[in-house]
Amino acid sequence: MAKKKDYTTGSRKWLIVLSVLVLVAIIAVVIVLLVPGNTYSMVEVLHSHSTTSFLNENNRSEQENYSALMQDMSNEVTSYMQEIRDVETLSQTINVILKFYDEYIVFAQDNGTLTRNYKSIRSSLNRASRLQEDMNEEIVTIISLSENSDTYKRNSWIDLRVIYVDWLENMQNAITRLNTCYQNCFDPSLTNNTASTLVLNAVDDYISVITDDFNDLIENDQKSNSIESYNYTMNGRIKLFEAFVNARLTSTNFVNYIFYQRIKNFYDDVNQFYTVYSQEDFKYLLDSIAPNGAFTENFDDVNVSGSLTCLANTKTFLSGGDI
Amino acid sequence: MKNKEIISTLVCLIIALSSFVMFACGGDGQTSYQYYMTFFNTIQTEGAMFESGNALGVQTNYQLKNFQSKTFDGETVTPVDDDQNYLILLANGLNFIEKYYPRLEENKNTSLKSGINDMTDSFDQLLIEYQNIIDVSDKANYEIYNGNFARYKWQTKDFINNVYQSALDLANLIYKDLDIDGTIETLSQEETQTEGDENTPTKEEIADTFDLEFYFDYQNILILEDYRAFLMDSAIGQQLDYSLYQTVDVSLTLFTGVIGQNLKDLSAQGLISYIDLCQRFASERAYTAEAIGEFSCYEFVNDYDQNLDSYEKSVSGASIYKLQIEKYFGDYISKFVSFVSSNVVA
């Protein structure tokens, strides 16, 4: 009697081989979809946002709309003019910060820090982009309507401010995480040193303080409230922030820390400020900037040797003054 | 019986293959040192193309002769010095190897042979092109001469590339042999000697025995390699009428000013500062090397008419790479030279 062929064993083998192949394919797809980016992806994301961010010099039509808005508002709601001008300054300062990171991130090591922060940075920047579109639409609507009621203008700005602060918070998250990447994805170099760490941390603190201020403003200046309750005090902080970023956030400044003893001493004093005081006090110092740009906090009750020089240099540091 | 025959055949086959592999890989039993020695004997005896001098700010026995093209104004043919950066790079590369290969005399290392062979082959080709230049120099018209000169120049570029590859191989080998990283780690620790412990050297004692001359030359050849990469790879050995190229050109002359200078006796602190700077510089070098690898200065100038937006479409991040190259060869090198001139060079 002929032996019956055992087809089942062969089929099972093929089934196992097929299952393994399917499993490998699934794992590959999961890796591609879920494991977030590398340096290259980060570069792509950041570069596209840093060149098109709100009121970026490349966005001419957006800038023209904002200028038209300022003109429009200056005719009707003069009380808000300082804030509107400051939003422009603040947005352009944030563009400088994004551009700075954009110039470095391409050289970042593709390590765990980059991977951990990539998704959050991408989603914050993407959300900021969508909010930017919303703001632009809102601005176009405001300037296209021939509505001259100051209440209408005021209410429009109050709505716009809410979107702007949302944009600012997303930028804050992206910038804070970019700072983490900068400090952990680069070896110590001419441009990654004590000076760069102090500057980039101060950038985060500045944005944090300013964002908090804006949130307070949203709470206090609502459509239902009288305009008399509007109390805008951020002009000094934003002006100093702009001066700080322009003066300190440059590779030349960081490199000079390595080569010039005078600059090294200066930054070492600022660093010492953190030892004598704390980061909370540092933010407190930023919070104390008056509308005219003067620091009102002097920490008179702290009496530590050398702390006065440290404090004076820290104020110079934060105001972007000459070293 | 049948099995025995199969096994005997296999054993014979294995022995034959092993012998072949040993013969093929074993080479001629010469060390890297001997290969270098043969190379220098060759270029010194047959190298009529070199002369000694200091004309380029570099004291060398390897200044390339007849590195000139010719122009014709309708009446007179005039020889014109060609790209002097070729000569500067070549002289410095060969100087480095000539100075440091004798350190391998007691070393049985053979790992550098392949690179030395490439360098020797390239030299042989260069010698042929040099001879062609000499042969046509007086006889041929300037156009034919320039055609031959273009080949001579092209081969010089190839030789420079091979010289730098071999110089870097040699430099890295000696660096490892000296365990410089280990010494740097010891120097960077808080204290090297505890009380009552006289066997552990102090930082000052470590600094006194540190091979500063090699470390200095090592850093310099690494930086020269960056110049080579830009000039020979990114600019493909062509002189370009473009500001970035001119920045690098000027910077090379500035940088070579510190090479070959006598050195100070550095204190432990002075040495630590210099090493710290070099280590930080190494990071910037790595970024710059990446930038040079991505940014073709030649293509940017010739194919894209210096239009960054157009080039950016082809090379993503081109503006960032260009910026890094500018910063490195401009600001950073100039500050590095200034630091070295004040603190390291006597």
Side-chain angles (χ1 to χ4, degrees):
Chain A
M1 192 179 157
K3 200 177 174 186
K4 203 176 173 184
K5 278 188 179 177
D6 184 3
Y7 288 105
T8 52
T9 311
S11 305
R12 200 173 295 145
K13 274 183 190 166
W14 278 111
L15 205 65
I16 291 167
V17 169
L18 210 62
S19 306
V20 168
L21 285 175
V22 168
L23 200 67
V24 168
I26 290 171
I27 291 169
V29 169
V30 167
I31 288 172
V32 169
L33 291 181
L34 295 186
V35 174
N38 48 20
T39 305
Y40 180 74
S41 313
M42 183 80 101
V43 168
E44 292 286 297
V45 167
L46 185 56
H47 189 62
S48 93
H49 284 88
S50 72
T51 48
T52 57
S53 188
F54 189 51
L55 298 182
N56 190 291
E57 59 189 359
N58 297 326
N59 299 340
R60 184 160 293 177
S61 69
E62 198 180 85
Q63 282 197 323
E64 283 168 1
N65 287 340
Y66 199 80
S67 297
L69 175 78
M70 283 202 277
Q71 184 61 45
D72 205 36
M73 288 294 198
S74 68
N75 293 335
E76 304 298 330
V77 198
T78 49
S79 322
Y80 284 165
M81 276 320 294
Q82 190 59 62
E83 184 189 346
I84 295 168
R85 274 196 290 268
D86 283 350
V87 161
E88 184 183 36
T89 306
L90 180 60
S91 308
Q92 287 167 347
T93 305
I94 286 185
N95 289 335
V96 174
I97 299 164
L98 287 185
K99 196 173 168 208
F100 169 83
Y101 283 116
D102 184 32
E103 285 171 8
Y104 280 95
I105 208 75
V106 70
F107 304 115
Q109 289 160 19
D110 205 347
N111 59 20
T113 305
L114 196 86
T115 309
R116 274 194 301 280
N117 287 284
Y118 168 72
K119 264 178 87 175
S120 182
I121 291 170
R122 186 185 59 181
S123 64
S124 290
L125 290 175
N126 284 343
R127 177 152 171 76
S129 264
R130 288 193 293 275
L131 291 164
Q132 185 178 331
E133 283 171 20
D134 293 348
M135 279 192 282
N136 287 331
E137 280 174 22
E138 189 78 15
I139 290 167
V140 170
T141 308
I142 297 169
I143 56 179
S144 64
L145 292 173
S146 54
E147 176 68 67
N148 286 331
S149 150
D150 60 348
T151 308
Y152 165 77
K153 300 284 181 193
R154 180 180 170 233
N155 290 345
S156 303
W157 178 253
I158 287 171
D159 288 338
L160 200 58
R161 183 197 288 142
V162 172
I163 309 173
Y164 183 74
V165 174
D166 198 357
W167 178 87
L168 194 58
E169 282 172 343
N170 279 282
M171 281 299 175
Q172 181 189 4
N173 180 53
I175 288 170
T176 304
R177 285 174 180 276
L178 282 167
N179 182 12
T180 306
C181 291
Y182 189 93
Q183 290 182 32
N184 293 285
C185 302
F186 294 97
D187 291 329
S189 67
L190 297 181
T191 46
N192 186 15
N193 52 43
T194 304
S196 66
T197 303
L198 285 166
V199 170
L200 295 174
N201 288 346
V203 163
D204 289 355
D205 291 338
Y206 251 120
I207 298 177
S208 167
V209 166
I210 291 170
T211 307
D212 289 349
D213 285 346
F214 266 112
N215 276 317
D216 289 345
L217 201 59
I218 287 174
E219 207 168 296
N220 296 327
D221 184 43
Q222 294 183 352
K223 292 174 187 174
S224 54
N225 296 354
S226 145
I227 195 152
E228 274 73 42
S229 63
Y230 175 70
N231 181 25
Y232 180 75
T233 58
M234 275 187 272
N235 178 240
R237 252 159 267 162
I238 290 174
K239 254 197 329 210
L240 252 58
F241 183 40
E242 181 193 28
F244 169 81
V245 165
N246 289 337
R248 307 277 179 253
L249 195 67
T250 66
S251 59
T252 307
N253 180 40
F254 298 159
V255 171
N256 286 348
Y257 173 82
I258 301 293
F259 287 102
Y260 300 112
Q261 192 59 42
R262 180 175 51 83
I263 291 173
K264 187 175 185 307
N265 292 344
F266 175 84
Y267 275 102
D268 288 347
D269 276 349
V270 179
N271 203 24
Q272 181 69 10
F273 179 90
Y274 278 97
T275 315
V276 177
Y277 301 93
S278 67
Q279 196 196 1
E280 277 314 300
D281 283 334
F282 191 81
K283 285 171 98 169
Y284 192 58
L285 191 59
L286 290 173
D287 234 352
S288 81
I289 300 170
N292 65 0
F295 290 92
T296 55
E297 179 55 62
N298 288 314
F299 297 101
D300 293 328
D301 52 334
V302 181
N303 186 15
V304 181
S305 171
S307 62
L308 281 179
T309 314
C310 293
L311 179 62
N313 280 341
T314 302
K315 286 180 179 177
T316 307
F317 166 71
L318 289 172
S319 58
D322 290 340
I323 300 173
Chain B
M1 191 66 186
K2 200 178 177 185
N3 280 348
K4 273 187 182 173
E5 277 174 10
I6 293 171
I7 289 167
S8 311
T9 313
L10 278 174
V11 167
C12 288
L13 203 64
I14 289 166
I15 291 170
L17 281 172
S18 307
S19 308
F20 175 77
V21 168
M22 283 173 74
F23 179 76
C25 299
D28 51 10
Q30 290 196 336
T31 61
S32 300
Y33 168 75
Q34 288 164 322
Y35 264 68
Y36 271 130
M37 204 161 61
T38 307
F39 169 76
F40 275 100
N41 283 338
T42 307
I43 68 171
Q44 279 156 7
T45 53
E46 295 185 43
M49 68 183 82
F50 294 122
E51 60 188 352
S52 301
N54 190 21
L56 303 161
V58 184
Q59 187 61 45
T60 183
N61 296 321
Y62 305 105
Q63 189 172 307
L64 207 54
K65 290 198 287 191
N66 290 70
F67 204 71
Q68 293 176 317
S69 56
K70 288 182 177 178
T71 58
F72 181 58
D73 63 2
E75 286 183 9
T76 321
V77 173
T78 315
V80 180
D81 284 343
D82 207 86
D83 190 346
Q84 297 295 288
N85 291 334
Y86 276 66
L87 309 196
I88 294 173
L89 286 174
L90 185 57
N92 278 298
L94 287 172
N95 276 0
F96 181 87
I97 298 175
E98 186 184 45
K99 182 175 178 181
Y100 285 105
Y101 90 84
R103 289 204 183 185
L104 302 183
E105 189 170 1
E106 303 300 319
N107 194 320
K108 298 292 173 207
N109 179 288
T110 58
S111 67
L112 309 185
K113 277 158 59 170
S114 153
I116 303 167
N117 273 337
D118 291 345
M119 185 168 64
T120 307
D121 290 346
S122 184
F123 173 77
D124 290 342
Q125 291 301 312
L126 181 62
L127 195 59
I128 292 168
E129 298 302 342
Y130 174 75
Q131 206 51 57
N132 287 341
I133 280 282
I134 299 300
D135 291 347
V136 300
S137 185
D138 295 330
K139 302 171 205 161
N141 70 26
Y142 83 102
E143 284 172 323
I144 292 175
Y145 173 87
N146 281 346
N148 279 277
F149 176 74
R151 289 170 59 89
Y152 177 47
K153 187 175 174 181
W154 182 259
Q155 193 52 47
T156 305
K157 178 181 151 186
D158 184 72
F159 185 49
I160 289 170
N161 292 342
N162 281 293
V163 165
Y164 273 78
Q165 187 54 59
S166 187
L168 292 174
D169 291 345
L170 174 65
N172 288 325
L173 183 70
I174 296 172
Y175 187 92
K176 271 189 193 160
D177 280 353
L178 291 173
D179 188 25
I180 287 182
D181 283 339
T183 311
I184 290 171
E185 201 182 327
T186 311
L187 272 172
S188 63
Q189 286 163 2
E190 282 295 310
E191 288 294 335
T192 55
Q193 192 180 63
T194 53
E195 206 174 332
D197 169 19
E198 289 175 359
N199 293 325
T200 310
T202 62
K203 283 190 179 184
E204 292 302 334
E205 285 166 345
I206 293 171
D208 284 345
T209 55
F210 186 78
D211 193 344
L212 180 61
E213 188 176 359
F214 170 74
Y215 188 76
F216 179 70
D217 290 337
Y218 177 72
Q219 296 304 324
N220 292 343
I221 198 74
L222 293 177
I223 294 171
L224 281 167
E225 162 60 14
D226 298 333
Y227 283 101
R228 186 213 61 76
F230 179 82
L231 294 167
M232 299 299 153
D233 298 343
S234 181
I236 67 161
Q238 302 292 312
Q239 286 176 295
L240 303 173
D241 184 14
Y242 176 51
S243 59
L244 177 61
Y245 183 90
Q246 278 139 21
T247 299
V248 180
D249 187 54
V250 170
S251 161
L252 177 59
T253 311
L254 176 76
F255 177 68
T256 50
V258 294
I259 296 175
Q261 301 289 320
N262 292 327
L263 303 177
K264 284 181 178 169
D265 288 330
L266 294 186
S267 65
Q269 193 46 53
L271 183 60
I272 289 167
S273 298
Y274 176 52
I275 289 170
D276 178 61
L277 175 61
C278 291
Q279 287 180 328
R280 289 179 181 278
F281 215 76
S283 301
E284 298 297 339
R285 289 191 54 249
Y287 310 148
T288 308
E290 188 181 338
I292 290 172
E294 299 289 337
F295 184 86
S296 168
C297 194
Y298 179 83
E299 279 182 21
F300 177 63
V301 172
N302 288 287
D303 299 349
Y304 293 87
D305 202 21
Q306 302 180 23
N307 184 322
L308 205 48
D309 289 339
S310 302
Y311 190 49
E312 191 101 41
K313 283 174 193 154
S314 166
V315 178
S316 174
S319 56
I320 293 160
Y321 296 130
K322 177 175 163 283
L323 187 66
Q324 176 65 25
I325 296 170
E326 275 169 352
K327 286 191 288 192
Y328 178 77
F329 288 110
D331 192 29
Y332 302 168
I333 288 274
S334 127
K335 283 176 176 150
F336 183 82
V337 166
S338 177
F339 178 93
V340 166
S341 302
S342 307
N343 300 292
V344 183
V345 167

